[in-house]
Amino acid sequence: MGAQKISDNEFEQEVLKSGEPVLVDFWAEWCGPCKQLSPIVDEIAGEKSNIKVAKMNIDENPESPQRYGVRSIPTLMIFQNGELKGTKVGALPKSKLIEWIDSVVA
C-alpha cells in the first residue's frame, strides 16, 4: 500500500485531526526530485506502521502548501496532534528519510 493522496479539502481531517503522526509529501508532476522521491515515500508507507503517509499535489491543491510555507518541492512535513513537528526540503536517500522520521516521531 502506497501513500494516500489527499486534497486541500481532506487536509484537516486526514492530517490535522489524525490520531497518528502523518508524513505529508508536497510534490508536483513537473518536479524531477519529486519523481525520484515518490517511490521511496510509497515504500515507507508500506513499511512504517507508526506513521500515516500522505501525498499532496501542490498544483491541484495550493491552499495547504501556502498555509505551511512550502516554497520549494519536494517538501516533507510531519504533523502530530494537529501540529507541524518537522520539515525536510529536497530529495533524500531512504535511509536519511527514515532516520529523520524516527527522530521526529518518538
Side-chain angles (χ1 to χ4, degrees):
M1 178 183 144
Q4 173 186 358
K5 289 177 176 47
I6 59 167
S7 67
D8 277 333
N9 294 338
E10 301 164 316
F11 193 86
E12 185 174 349
Q13 190 61 42
E14 294 295 332
V15 178
L16 301 179
K17 291 185 176 175
S18 175
E20 59 191 330
V22 184
L23 171 69
V24 181
D25 174 15
F26 293 97
W27 67 283
E29 202 63 54
W30 46 264
C31 164
C34 297
K35 289 181 179 175
Q36 187 185 341
L37 190 63
S38 186
I40 296 170
V41 171
D42 283 333
E43 279 177 36
I44 289 171
E47 293 169 9
K48 307 268 307 155
S49 58
N50 64 332
I51 191 166
K52 182 163 132 181
V53 181
K55 290 182 179 182
M56 177 172 276
N57 182 324
I58 65 161
D59 289 334
E60 295 170 2
N61 303 285
E63 210 175 279
S64 300
Q66 189 176 352
R67 184 179 332 147
Y68 290 99
V70 175
R71 302 227 185 292
S72 57
I73 50 172
T75 291
L76 298 165
M77 293 185 174
I78 296 177
F79 293 85
Q80 192 167 8
N81 301 322
E83 288 179 36
L84 176 60
K85 294 291 187 183
T87 304
K88 279 280 181 208
V89 178
L92 296 167
K94 184 177 178 183
S95 60
K96 291 287 181 200
L97 195 50
I98 288 174
E99 207 174 277
W100 173 66
I101 292 167
D102 290 344
S103 74
V104 175
V105 180

